[in-house]
Amino acid sequence: MEERDVIPFVTDDGEELELYVLEQTKINGINYLLVADTLDEEDEDVEVYIMKETKEQEGEEFASYEFVEDDNELASLGKVFEELLEDVDIEL
């Protein structure tokens, strides 16, 4: 299995998740990540999410990310990530 970067994420409810970075890209100066909460290669219906980097606050050592929620932005980014991954069909 290919080694993937893992990013810790805390939801608004305080739930801690480990998200696996499947792909990343930069569009108009904004970093975007395609992430999944599992890397089960047997499962063809893995849930994926698109996250975007938020502006870093002064003194922060690491970048912060939030889930993309705008439907138009999700549709556009989904197409970009499908092209980058070639053999993956992304349904958002």
Side-chain angles (χ1 to χ4, degrees):
M1 179 189 318
E2 185 178 332
E3 179 105 8
R4 299 280 185 185
D5 289 335
V6 178
I7 58 172
F9 185 80
V10 179
T11 67
D12 292 338
D13 299 334
E15 182 182 359
E16 294 182 21
L17 303 173
E18 284 190 345
L19 300 173
Y20 299 90
V21 178
L22 305 176
E23 187 61 74
Q24 58 187 2
T25 190
K26 189 173 201 168
I27 300 172
N28 295 330
I30 300 173
N31 290 320
Y32 291 94
L33 303 176
L34 180 68
V35 299
D37 58 3
T38 184
L39 284 181
D40 186 356
E41 293 181 359
E42 303 292 318
D43 188 356
E44 293 183 12
D45 293 326
V46 173
E47 295 261 343
V48 296
Y49 308 94
I50 297 177
M51 302 180 79
K52 69 178 175 182
E53 186 175 17
T54 58
K55 294 187 185 268
E56 291 184 41
Q57 296 179 2
E58 198 170 313
E60 283 187 355
E61 188 174 333
F62 300 101
S64 296
Y65 287 86
E66 64 184 27
F67 290 105
V68 174
E69 296 181 5
D70 179 82
D71 290 339
N72 293 328
E73 189 176 15
L74 279 172
S76 298
L77 291 165
K79 291 176 186 175
V80 170
F81 281 116
E82 279 183 339
E83 288 180 22
L84 290 172
L85 294 171
E86 295 178 1
D87 61 341
V88 175
D89 183 31
I90 299 173
E91 292 181 29
L92 302 169

